[in-house]
Amino acid sequence: MKKITSRTIVCFFLALALVAGTGIFTVKFFMEGSTWSAFSANRHLYTNKVLNTGRILDETGQVLAEYDRTDNKWKYSNNSYIRKATLHTVGDSTGMIGTGALTRFADKLTGYNVITGAKPIFPGGRDLYLTLNADVCQTAYKALNGHRGTVGVYNYKTGEIICMVSTPTYDPASPPTIHDGDKTYDGVYMNRLLSATFIPGSTFKLITATAALEKIDGVENRTFHCSGKVMIGDQLITCPDAHGDLTLDQALAVSCNCVFGQLAAEIGSDQLAEYVKKAGLTGSLSINGIHTAKSTFDFTYGGKGGLAWSGIGQGKDLVNPCALMVYSGAIANGGSAAKPQIISHTAFEKGVRTSLYLKHSTKKLIEEDTASKLADMMRNNVINQYGQGNFPGLTICAKSGTAQSDHTDEDNAWFTGFLQDPDHPYAFIVLVEEGGSGSKVAGKVANTVLQAAVKSE
Ligand SMILES: [Zn+2]
Protein backbone atom coordinates (compact mmCIF):
# COMPACT_ATOMS: atom_id res chain seq x y z
CA MET A 1 0.00 0.00 0.00
CA LYS A 2 2.83 2.35 0.99
CA LYS A 3 4.53 1.61 -2.33
CA ILE A 4 1.38 2.50 -4.31
CA THR A 5 0.93 5.75 -2.37
CA SER A 6 4.48 6.87 -3.05
CA ARG A 7 4.19 5.92 -6.75
CA THR A 8 0.94 7.89 -6.97
CA ILE A 9 2.70 10.93 -5.49
CA VAL A 10 5.58 10.58 -7.99
CA CYS A 11 3.09 10.27 -10.90
CA PHE A 12 1.17 13.27 -9.63
CA PHE A 13 4.29 15.42 -9.62
CA LEU A 14 5.35 14.15 -13.06
CA ALA A 15 1.92 15.07 -14.42
CA LEU A 16 2.15 18.46 -12.73
CA ALA A 17 5.59 19.07 -14.31
CA LEU A 18 4.17 18.12 -17.74
CA VAL A 19 1.23 20.52 -17.42
CA ALA A 20 3.50 23.32 -16.15
CA GLY A 21 6.03 22.69 -18.93
CA THR A 22 3.32 22.73 -21.61
CA GLY A 23 1.95 25.94 -20.09
CA ILE A 24 5.35 27.65 -20.14
CA PHE A 25 5.95 26.50 -23.72
CA THR A 26 2.55 27.83 -24.86
CA VAL A 27 3.16 31.22 -23.27
CA LYS A 28 6.67 31.38 -24.76
CA PHE A 29 5.32 30.30 -28.16
CA PHE A 30 2.91 33.24 -28.23
CA MET A 31 5.40 35.69 -26.75
CA GLU A 32 8.57 34.68 -28.61
CA GLY A 33 7.40 32.63 -31.60
CA SER A 34 8.19 35.45 -34.01
CA THR A 35 11.76 35.66 -32.71
CA TRP A 36 12.25 31.86 -32.99
CA SER A 37 10.92 31.99 -36.53
CA ALA A 38 13.31 34.84 -37.43
CA PHE A 39 16.33 32.75 -36.31
CA SER A 40 18.90 32.86 -39.11
CA ALA A 41 18.83 29.07 -39.68
CA ASN A 42 15.23 29.28 -40.96
CA ARG A 43 15.62 28.69 -44.71
CA HIS A 44 12.13 30.02 -45.49
CA LEU A 45 13.29 33.46 -44.46
CA TYR A 46 17.03 33.53 -45.04
CA THR A 47 19.19 33.26 -48.15
CA ASN A 48 22.86 32.68 -47.29
CA LYS A 49 22.12 33.78 -43.69
CA VAL A 50 20.65 37.09 -44.92
CA LEU A 51 16.98 37.84 -44.16
CA ASN A 52 15.16 37.81 -47.51
CA THR A 53 11.92 39.66 -46.94
CA GLY A 54 10.45 43.01 -45.83
CA ARG A 55 11.03 46.74 -46.06
CA ILE A 56 12.14 49.39 -43.55
CA LEU A 57 10.68 52.89 -43.90
CA ASP A 58 10.91 56.16 -42.00
CA GLU A 59 7.86 57.91 -40.50
CA THR A 60 7.16 59.72 -43.78
CA GLY A 61 7.16 56.49 -45.82
CA GLN A 62 10.62 57.01 -47.29
CA VAL A 63 12.15 53.56 -47.95
CA LEU A 64 15.40 53.07 -46.02
CA ALA A 65 15.99 49.40 -46.86
CA GLU A 66 14.22 46.85 -49.04
CA TYR A 67 14.95 43.24 -49.99
CA ASP A 68 15.38 42.96 -53.74
CA ARG A 69 14.22 39.48 -54.80
CA THR A 70 15.71 39.86 -58.29
CA ASP A 71 19.24 40.59 -57.12
CA ASN A 72 18.79 38.65 -53.86
CA LYS A 73 20.19 41.40 -51.69
CA TRP A 74 19.16 44.34 -49.53
CA LYS A 75 18.97 47.71 -51.23
CA TYR A 76 19.21 50.90 -49.19
CA SER A 77 18.16 54.53 -49.73
CA ASN A 78 19.38 56.16 -52.97
CA ASN A 79 20.82 58.97 -50.88
CA SER A 80 24.29 58.14 -49.51
CA TYR A 81 23.95 60.66 -46.64
CA ILE A 82 20.74 58.97 -45.50
CA ARG A 83 22.39 55.54 -45.78
CA LYS A 84 25.21 56.67 -43.49
CA ALA A 85 22.98 58.68 -41.13
CA THR A 86 20.57 55.78 -40.53
CA LEU A 87 23.13 52.94 -40.47
CA HIS A 88 22.93 52.42 -36.70
CA THR A 89 19.12 52.33 -36.75
CA VAL A 90 18.53 50.37 -39.96
CA GLY A 91 21.58 48.14 -39.59
CA ASP A 92 23.28 46.15 -42.30
CA SER A 93 22.36 42.80 -43.81
CA THR A 94 25.43 41.06 -42.36
CA GLY A 95 24.37 41.95 -38.81
CA MET A 96 27.48 43.93 -37.83
CA ILE A 97 25.38 46.69 -36.24
CA GLY A 98 23.94 45.24 -33.03
CA THR A 99 21.16 47.84 -32.70
CA GLY A 100 20.12 47.69 -36.38
CA ALA A 101 16.49 46.95 -37.27
CA LEU A 102 17.58 44.33 -39.81
CA THR A 103 18.94 42.30 -36.91
CA ARG A 104 16.85 43.33 -33.91
CA PHE A 105 13.47 43.55 -35.62
CA ALA A 106 13.87 40.73 -38.17
CA ASP A 107 10.69 39.15 -36.71
CA LYS A 108 8.71 42.29 -37.63
CA LEU A 109 9.88 42.09 -41.27
CA THR A 110 8.94 38.46 -41.90
CA GLY A 111 5.13 38.58 -41.74
CA TYR A 112 5.21 35.77 -39.17
CA ASN A 113 1.98 34.99 -37.33
CA VAL A 114 1.05 32.35 -34.74
CA ILE A 115 -1.37 30.50 -37.02
CA THR A 116 0.63 29.91 -40.18
CA GLY A 117 4.12 30.71 -38.83
CA ALA A 118 6.81 31.80 -41.28
CA LYS A 119 4.57 31.07 -44.31
CA PRO A 120 2.12 33.93 -43.94
CA ILE A 121 -1.47 33.91 -45.27
CA PHE A 122 -0.68 37.06 -47.25
CA PRO A 123 2.63 36.52 -49.02
CA GLY A 124 5.50 38.99 -48.95
CA GLY A 125 7.20 40.44 -45.91
CA ARG A 126 6.01 43.29 -43.77
CA ASP A 127 6.74 46.99 -43.91
CA LEU A 128 8.41 48.20 -40.72
CA TYR A 129 7.81 51.90 -40.18
CA LEU A 130 10.33 53.56 -37.86
CA THR A 131 9.61 56.75 -35.87
CA LEU A 132 12.70 58.35 -37.45
CA ASN A 133 12.66 61.17 -39.93
CA ALA A 134 15.45 60.28 -42.37
CA ASP A 135 15.88 63.87 -43.58
CA VAL A 136 16.41 65.14 -40.02
CA CYS A 137 18.96 62.33 -39.51
CA GLN A 138 20.71 63.40 -42.69
CA THR A 139 20.89 66.99 -41.41
CA ALA A 140 22.36 65.75 -38.09
CA TYR A 141 24.94 63.62 -39.85
CA LYS A 142 26.08 66.58 -41.95
CA ALA A 143 26.09 68.92 -38.91
CA LEU A 144 28.47 66.58 -37.04
CA ASN A 145 30.84 67.48 -39.84
CA GLY A 146 33.10 64.43 -39.72
CA HIS A 147 33.42 64.34 -35.91
CA ARG A 148 32.74 61.25 -33.87
CA GLY A 149 29.64 61.72 -31.73
CA THR A 150 25.90 61.33 -31.57
CA VAL A 151 22.67 63.29 -31.99
CA GLY A 152 19.35 62.23 -30.50
CA VAL A 153 15.99 64.03 -30.74
CA TYR A 154 12.74 62.58 -29.42
CA ASN A 155 9.20 63.63 -28.66
CA TYR A 156 8.95 63.62 -24.85
CA LYS A 157 5.13 63.47 -25.00
CA THR A 158 4.82 60.43 -27.30
CA GLY A 159 8.27 58.78 -27.09
CA GLU A 160 8.93 58.79 -30.86
CA ILE A 161 12.65 59.05 -31.67
CA ILE A 162 12.89 61.47 -34.60
CA CYS A 163 16.65 61.54 -34.95
CA MET A 164 19.24 58.93 -33.96
CA VAL A 165 22.65 59.38 -35.53
CA SER A 166 25.95 57.90 -34.41
CA THR A 167 29.35 58.61 -35.97
CA PRO A 168 31.72 57.31 -37.24
CA THR A 169 29.50 55.46 -39.66
CA TYR A 170 29.81 53.88 -43.10
CA ASP A 171 27.79 53.24 -46.20
CA PRO A 172 25.99 49.86 -45.86
CA ALA A 173 25.70 49.72 -49.66
CA SER A 174 29.50 49.41 -49.85
CA PRO A 175 30.87 48.41 -46.43
CA PRO A 176 34.55 49.27 -45.99
CA THR A 177 37.25 46.85 -44.89
CA ILE A 178 38.08 47.95 -41.38
CA HIS A 179 41.44 47.11 -39.81
CA ASP A 180 42.12 46.92 -36.06
CA GLY A 181 43.25 50.26 -34.65
CA ASP A 182 41.89 52.24 -37.61
CA LYS A 183 41.03 55.57 -35.90
CA THR A 184 38.64 56.66 -38.69
CA TYR A 185 36.32 53.80 -37.75
CA ASP A 186 36.88 53.86 -33.96
CA GLY A 187 33.81 52.19 -32.41
CA VAL A 188 31.98 52.31 -35.76
CA TYR A 189 29.70 49.33 -35.04
CA MET A 190 28.45 50.88 -31.80
CA ASN A 191 25.35 53.05 -31.62
CA ARG A 192 26.70 55.82 -29.37
CA LEU A 193 23.26 57.12 -28.41
CA LEU A 194 22.08 53.79 -26.99
CA SER A 195 25.08 51.61 -26.26
CA ALA A 196 27.89 53.88 -25.04
CA THR A 197 28.74 55.95 -21.95
CA PHE A 198 30.83 59.13 -21.81
CA ILE A 199 32.13 61.64 -19.25
CA PRO A 200 29.18 64.08 -19.08
CA GLY A 201 31.07 67.25 -18.13
CA SER A 202 28.89 70.14 -17.06
CA THR A 203 25.64 68.61 -18.36
CA PHE A 204 25.80 66.63 -15.09
CA LYS A 205 25.32 69.89 -13.17
CA LEU A 206 21.60 69.41 -13.94
CA ILE A 207 21.60 66.41 -11.58
CA THR A 208 23.65 68.23 -8.92
CA ALA A 209 21.26 71.18 -9.22
CA THR A 210 18.27 68.82 -8.79
CA ALA A 211 19.74 67.39 -5.59
CA ALA A 212 20.72 70.88 -4.32
CA LEU A 213 17.20 72.27 -4.91
CA GLU A 214 15.64 69.40 -2.97
CA LYS A 215 18.19 68.75 -0.24
CA ILE A 216 19.77 72.10 0.66
CA ASP A 217 17.37 74.44 2.45
CA GLY A 218 17.29 77.98 1.03
CA VAL A 219 19.75 77.19 -1.76
CA GLU A 220 17.78 79.38 -4.19
CA ASN A 221 18.22 82.44 -1.95
CA ARG A 222 21.90 81.95 -1.31
CA THR A 223 24.68 84.08 -2.81
CA PHE A 224 27.80 82.09 -3.67
CA HIS A 225 31.24 83.47 -4.36
CA CYS A 226 33.69 82.23 -6.97
CA SER A 227 37.28 83.49 -6.86
CA GLY A 228 38.25 81.23 -9.75
CA LYS A 229 39.56 78.44 -7.54
CA VAL A 230 38.71 76.59 -4.33
CA MET A 231 40.26 73.73 -2.33
CA ILE A 232 37.72 70.96 -1.64
CA GLY A 233 39.22 68.05 0.31
CA ASP A 234 42.65 67.60 -1.28
CA GLN A 235 41.53 68.80 -4.73
CA LEU A 236 41.92 72.24 -6.27
CA ILE A 237 38.75 72.99 -8.24
CA THR A 238 39.12 75.77 -10.79
CA CYS A 239 37.00 77.91 -13.14
CA PRO A 240 38.39 79.54 -16.31
CA ASP A 241 37.73 82.96 -14.68
CA ALA A 242 36.67 84.28 -11.27
CA HIS A 243 32.88 84.42 -11.54
CA GLY A 244 32.45 86.66 -8.45
CA ASP A 245 29.13 86.68 -6.58
CA LEU A 246 26.51 84.33 -8.01
CA THR A 247 23.01 82.97 -7.37
CA LEU A 248 22.30 79.30 -8.16
CA ASP A 249 20.69 80.28 -11.52
CA GLN A 250 23.73 82.31 -12.47
CA ALA A 251 26.11 79.55 -11.36
CA LEU A 252 24.33 77.10 -13.69
CA ALA A 253 24.34 79.59 -16.57
CA VAL A 254 28.10 80.26 -16.35
CA SER A 255 28.65 76.61 -15.31
CA CYS A 256 30.70 77.57 -12.26
CA ASN A 257 32.85 74.61 -11.16
CA CYS A 258 33.63 76.15 -7.77
CA VAL A 259 29.96 76.50 -6.82
CA PHE A 260 28.88 73.06 -8.12
CA GLY A 261 31.92 71.37 -6.54
CA GLN A 262 30.96 72.89 -3.18
CA LEU A 263 27.31 71.93 -3.64
CA ALA A 264 28.24 68.29 -4.37
CA ALA A 265 30.43 68.16 -1.24
CA GLU A 266 27.55 69.62 0.79
CA ILE A 267 24.96 67.20 -0.67
CA GLY A 268 27.16 64.19 0.13
CA SER A 269 27.95 60.98 -1.74
CA ASP A 270 24.95 58.96 -0.51
CA GLN A 271 22.40 61.55 -1.59
CA LEU A 272 24.08 62.18 -4.95
CA ALA A 273 23.99 58.40 -5.54
CA GLU A 274 20.29 58.43 -4.69
CA TYR A 275 19.67 61.21 -7.24
CA VAL A 276 21.46 59.56 -10.18
CA LYS A 277 19.35 56.48 -9.47
CA LYS A 278 16.11 58.45 -9.26
CA ALA A 279 17.05 60.29 -12.48
CA GLY A 280 17.01 56.92 -14.22
CA LEU A 281 20.67 57.20 -15.21
CA THR A 282 21.88 54.01 -13.51
CA GLY A 283 19.07 51.92 -15.00
CA SER A 284 18.71 50.68 -18.57
CA LEU A 285 15.96 51.81 -20.93
CA SER A 286 14.34 49.31 -23.28
CA ILE A 287 13.89 50.87 -26.72
CA ASN A 288 11.55 48.30 -28.33
CA GLY A 289 13.67 45.62 -26.66
CA ILE A 290 17.07 47.22 -27.30
CA HIS A 291 18.58 47.89 -23.87
CA THR A 292 20.58 51.08 -23.39
CA ALA A 293 23.92 51.13 -21.56
CA LYS A 294 23.69 51.99 -17.85
CA SER A 295 25.46 55.13 -16.64
CA THR A 296 28.06 54.49 -13.91
CA PHE A 297 29.36 56.61 -11.04
CA ASP A 298 31.66 56.33 -8.03
CA PHE A 299 30.99 59.11 -5.54
CA THR A 300 33.11 57.59 -2.77
CA TYR A 301 36.35 57.68 -4.74
CA GLY A 302 38.81 60.39 -3.67
CA GLY A 303 36.95 61.74 -0.63
CA LYS A 304 35.34 65.21 -0.68
CA GLY A 305 37.61 66.37 -3.52
CA GLY A 306 36.60 63.39 -5.67
CA LEU A 307 32.94 64.03 -4.87
CA ALA A 308 33.34 67.68 -5.96
CA TRP A 309 34.74 66.54 -9.34
CA SER A 310 31.82 64.11 -9.71
CA GLY A 311 29.33 66.90 -8.97
CA ILE A 312 30.71 68.90 -11.89
CA GLY A 313 30.55 65.92 -14.24
CA GLN A 314 34.17 64.80 -14.24
CA GLY A 315 35.70 62.27 -11.81
CA LYS A 316 34.41 58.76 -12.41
CA ASP A 317 31.09 59.77 -13.99
CA LEU A 318 30.12 57.98 -17.22
CA VAL A 319 26.69 58.79 -18.65
CA ASN A 320 24.62 57.25 -21.45
CA PRO A 321 23.52 59.97 -23.92
CA CYS A 322 20.00 58.55 -24.36
CA ALA A 323 19.39 58.55 -20.58
CA LEU A 324 20.44 62.19 -20.40
CA MET A 325 18.09 63.06 -23.29
CA VAL A 326 15.20 61.40 -21.42
CA TYR A 327 16.15 63.32 -18.25
CA SER A 328 15.85 66.56 -20.24
CA GLY A 329 12.46 65.32 -21.46
CA ALA A 330 11.36 64.73 -17.87
CA ILE A 331 12.41 68.26 -16.87
CA ALA A 332 10.30 69.56 -19.77
CA ASN A 333 7.33 67.36 -18.97
CA GLY A 334 6.80 67.99 -15.25
CA GLY A 335 9.02 65.22 -13.85
CA SER A 336 8.40 62.18 -16.06
CA ALA A 337 8.61 61.68 -19.83
CA ALA A 338 7.48 59.23 -22.48
CA LYS A 339 9.88 56.32 -22.92
CA PRO A 340 11.71 56.56 -26.25
CA GLN A 341 10.68 54.13 -29.00
CA ILE A 342 12.00 53.57 -32.50
CA ILE A 343 9.23 51.41 -34.04
CA SER A 344 6.17 53.31 -35.24
CA HIS A 345 4.17 50.35 -36.59
CA THR A 346 4.20 47.46 -39.04
CA ALA A 347 1.98 47.17 -42.11
CA PHE A 348 1.12 44.99 -45.10
CA GLU A 349 2.75 46.05 -48.36
CA LYS A 350 -0.48 47.81 -49.33
CA GLY A 351 -0.31 49.98 -46.22
CA VAL A 352 -2.84 48.28 -43.90
CA ARG A 353 -1.46 48.49 -40.38
CA THR A 354 -0.74 45.29 -38.49
CA SER A 355 0.32 46.91 -35.20
CA LEU A 356 -0.43 49.94 -33.08
CA TYR A 357 1.87 52.50 -31.48
CA LEU A 358 1.42 52.46 -27.73
CA LYS A 359 2.95 55.15 -25.56
CA HIS A 360 4.79 54.23 -22.34
CA SER A 361 5.99 56.60 -19.62
CA THR A 362 9.01 56.64 -17.33
CA LYS A 363 8.39 56.71 -13.62
CA LYS A 364 8.83 60.05 -11.87
CA LEU A 365 12.47 61.06 -12.44
CA ILE A 366 12.21 64.51 -10.78
CA GLU A 367 9.67 66.14 -8.46
CA GLU A 368 7.28 68.35 -10.45
CA ASP A 369 8.21 71.53 -8.59
CA THR A 370 11.95 70.92 -9.10
CA ALA A 371 11.40 70.15 -12.80
CA SER A 372 9.66 73.49 -13.23
CA LYS A 373 12.51 75.37 -11.51
CA LEU A 374 15.12 73.56 -13.61
CA ALA A 375 13.21 74.33 -16.81
CA ASP A 376 13.31 78.05 -15.90
CA MET A 377 17.02 77.82 -15.14
CA MET A 378 17.71 76.11 -18.50
CA ARG A 379 15.73 78.79 -20.31
CA ASN A 380 17.78 81.39 -18.42
CA ASN A 381 20.99 79.64 -19.63
CA VAL A 382 19.97 80.27 -23.24
CA ILE A 383 18.82 83.85 -22.75
CA ASN A 384 21.71 85.05 -20.59
CA GLN A 385 24.59 82.82 -21.64
CA TYR A 386 24.29 80.90 -24.93
CA GLY A 387 22.36 83.62 -26.81
CA GLN A 388 18.77 83.29 -28.06
CA GLY A 389 20.01 84.69 -31.39
CA ASN A 390 21.83 81.39 -31.98
CA PHE A 391 18.46 79.56 -31.91
CA PRO A 392 16.16 81.69 -34.05
CA GLY A 393 12.47 80.96 -33.55
CA LEU A 394 13.08 78.22 -30.97
CA THR A 395 11.93 78.45 -27.33
CA ILE A 396 14.84 76.34 -26.24
CA CYS A 397 15.97 75.39 -22.72
CA ALA A 398 19.44 73.87 -22.47
CA LYS A 399 22.63 73.00 -20.63
CA SER A 400 26.01 72.79 -22.29
CA GLY A 401 28.99 70.71 -21.26
CA THR A 402 32.66 70.66 -22.17
CA ALA A 403 34.07 67.40 -20.87
CA GLN A 404 37.72 66.56 -20.45
CA SER A 405 38.54 63.00 -21.41
CA ASP A 406 41.76 61.06 -20.78
CA HIS A 407 41.44 59.40 -24.17
CA THR A 408 41.17 62.49 -26.35
CA ASP A 409 43.30 65.56 -27.03
CA GLU A 410 40.39 67.99 -27.37
CA ASP A 411 37.39 68.30 -25.03
CA ASN A 412 34.09 66.60 -25.83
CA ALA A 413 31.29 69.09 -26.53
CA TRP A 414 27.79 68.42 -25.14
CA PHE A 415 24.45 70.16 -25.42
CA THR A 416 21.18 68.82 -24.00
CA GLY A 417 17.73 70.27 -23.38
CA PHE A 418 14.29 70.63 -24.89
CA LEU A 419 11.88 72.90 -26.72
CA GLN A 420 9.09 74.61 -24.77
CA ASP A 421 6.72 74.26 -27.68
CA PRO A 422 3.45 72.27 -27.46
CA ASP A 423 3.52 71.60 -31.22
CA HIS A 424 7.13 70.35 -31.13
CA PRO A 425 7.77 68.80 -27.71
CA TYR A 426 11.30 67.62 -28.46
CA ALA A 427 14.09 66.76 -26.06
CA PHE A 428 17.58 66.39 -27.46
CA ILE A 429 21.17 65.42 -26.82
CA VAL A 430 24.22 66.32 -28.88
CA LEU A 431 27.73 64.99 -28.27
CA VAL A 432 30.61 66.08 -30.51
CA GLU A 433 33.73 64.16 -29.53
CA GLU A 434 36.87 66.34 -29.55
CA GLY A 435 34.59 69.16 -30.63
CA GLY A 436 35.78 71.76 -28.09
CA SER A 437 33.27 74.15 -26.51
CA GLY A 438 29.87 72.69 -25.58
CA SER A 439 27.60 75.66 -26.22
CA LYS A 440 29.41 76.87 -29.34
CA VAL A 441 30.01 73.59 -31.16
CA ALA A 442 27.36 71.17 -29.85
CA GLY A 443 24.85 74.04 -29.45
CA LYS A 444 25.24 74.90 -33.12
CA VAL A 445 24.60 71.27 -34.13
CA ALA A 446 21.51 71.22 -31.88
CA ASN A 447 20.13 74.36 -33.52
CA THR A 448 20.66 73.01 -37.05
CA VAL A 449 18.97 69.69 -36.23
CA LEU A 450 16.07 71.20 -34.26
CA GLN A 451 15.33 73.70 -37.04
CA ALA A 452 15.08 70.72 -39.45
CA ALA A 453 12.93 68.75 -36.98
CA VAL A 454 10.47 71.64 -36.48
CA LYS A 455 10.24 72.21 -40.25
CA SER A 456 9.65 68.51 -40.95
CA GLU A 457 6.30 68.49 -39.12
ZN1 LIG B 1 33.29 79.88 -11.05
Side-chain angles (χ1 to χ4, degrees):
M1 191 62 190
K2 227 179 181 180
K3 221 173 190 176
I4 293 171
T5 312
S6 60
R7 279 179 185 169
T8 310
I9 292 169
V10 169
C11 282
F12 173 74
F13 278 107
L14 282 174
L16 203 66
L18 180 68
V19 170
T22 312
I24 291 168
F25 174 79
T26 310
V27 170
K28 284 194 119 177
F29 176 75
F30 277 95
M31 304 275 289
E32 297 173 21
S34 61
T35 316
W36 299 344
S37 161
F39 183 61
S40 59
N42 186 344
R43 280 181 290 176
H44 285 305
L45 300 173
Y46 288 83
T47 306
N48 298 328
K49 294 191 175 170
V50 174
L51 183 73
N52 62 15
T53 185
R55 294 198 302 172
I56 298 172
L57 305 94
D58 83 344
E59 53 128 14
T60 66
Q62 184 171 170
V63 179
L64 304 178
E66 176 173 23
Y67 191 76
D68 185 329
R69 285 178 180 275
T70 320
D71 286 355
N72 283 325
K73 64 175 194 180
W74 279 86
K75 295 227 161 127
Y76 302 89
S77 165
N78 292 327
N79 179 325
S80 70
Y81 291 112
I82 289 182
R83 293 201 295 270
K84 289 177 192 167
T86 59
L87 172 75
H88 293 88
T89 314
V90 171
D92 66 332
S93 57
T94 54
M96 294 303 286
I97 307 293
T99 53
L102 280 167
T103 310
R104 296 305 296 258
F105 308 136
D107 57 323
K108 305 275 188 294
L109 295 161
T110 61
Y112 168 92
N113 66 68
V114 288
I115 312 292
T116 60
K119 280 205 153 185
I121 312 162
F122 302 102
R126 292 287 176 273
D127 284 347
L128 172 65
Y129 283 82
L130 302 176
T131 58
L132 280 191
N133 183 302
D135 292 326
V136 177
C137 294
Q138 176 183 193
T139 302
Y141 170 69
K142 287 177 179 166
L144 283 167
N145 197 21
H147 280 279
R148 282 176 283 129
T150 185
V151 181
V153 180
Y154 100 115
N155 183 318
Y156 55 77
K157 297 273 186 203
T158 64
E160 293 156 295
I161 298 175
I162 295 152
C163 175
M164 174 155 76
V165 172
S166 178
T167 52
T169 181
Y170 62 83
D171 185 349
S174 54
T177 309
I178 297 167
H179 302 286
D180 276 354
D182 188 342
K183 191 114 197 283
T184 323
Y185 293 110
D186 188 19
V188 68
Y189 298 123
M190 186 196 289
N191 181 333
R192 283 167 151 73
L193 184 69
L194 305 185
S195 311
T197 58
F198 300 88
I199 297 170
S202 298
T203 55
F204 187 78
K205 287 173 183 154
L206 291 173
I207 313 289
T208 310
T210 306
L213 283 167
E214 291 183 7
K215 293 292 175 188
I216 303 178
D217 280 343
V219 74
E220 292 160 86
N221 304 319
R222 246 159 83 173
T223 305
F224 301 89
H225 183 77
C226 166
S227 62
K229 57 182 187 223
V230 63
M231 277 303 283
I232 301 177
D234 59 357
Q235 294 288 315
L236 181 69
I237 308 289
T238 56
C239 286
D241 302 297
H243 288 121
D245 288 338
L246 298 156
T247 61
L248 183 65
D249 291 32
Q250 289 167 333
L252 188 74
V254 299
S255 214
C256 178
N257 289 341
C258 296
V259 169
F260 277 86
Q262 283 170 301
L263 286 173
E266 211 173 315
I267 292 160
S269 55
D270 289 351
Q271 286 192 338
L272 210 51
E274 194 186 298
Y275 273 86
V276 289
K277 191 175 172 205
K278 190 178 172 193
L281 297 180
T282 53
S284 176
L285 287 157
S286 170
I287 318 273
N288 297 105
I290 302 172
H291 292 278
T292 59
K294 293 177 182 175
S295 308
T296 56
F297 304 91
D298 184 353
F299 299 130
T300 55
Y301 166 84
K304 272 211 180 291
L307 179 58
W309 279 120
S310 292
I312 59 181
Q314 292 289 150
K316 299 271 177 188
D317 301 0
L318 286 170
V319 167
N320 170 251
C322 185
L324 204 51
M325 175 175 80
V326 173
Y327 193 66
S328 280
I331 295 171
N333 201 41
S336 63
K339 280 187 184 169
Q341 297 184 58
I342 193 66
I343 295 179
S344 167
H345 62 276
T346 51
F348 288 125
E349 269 178 64
K350 302 255 181 310
V352 178
R353 286 190 180 211
T354 52
S355 75
L356 291 173
Y357 182 88
L358 297 173
K359 177 193 153 179
H360 303 282
S361 281
T362 66
K363 55 183 192 314
K364 183 168 273 195
L365 306 182
I366 323 160
E367 294 306 315
E368 195 172 345
D369 187 37
T370 315
S372 156
K373 286 176 188 165
L374 276 171
D376 290 345
M377 287 163 81
M378 290 168 80
R379 182 73 189 126
N380 176 63
N381 290 349
V382 174
I383 293 168
N384 288 316
Q385 194 66 28
Y386 313 143
Q388 179 59 48
N390 294 319
F391 307 92
L394 301 177
T395 312
I396 184 171
C397 304
K399 179 72 193 88
S400 67
T402 307
Q404 288 147 14
S405 168
D406 297 339
H407 313 294
T408 54
D409 300 332
E410 282 267 3
D411 293 340
N412 288 342
W414 287 95
F415 208 63
T416 186
F418 56 88
L419 297 185
Q420 265 178 340
D421 177 352
D423 294 329
H424 306 100
Y426 301 149
F428 62 87
I429 185 92
V430 174
L431 166 64
V432 186
E433 291 174 49
E434 299 186 70
S437 159
S439 65
K440 287 199 183 77
V441 177
K444 197 173 168 193
V445 174
N447 175 59
T448 306
V449 176
L450 290 165
Q451 298 287 353
V454 167
K455 264 190 210 109
S456 74
E457 284 292 307

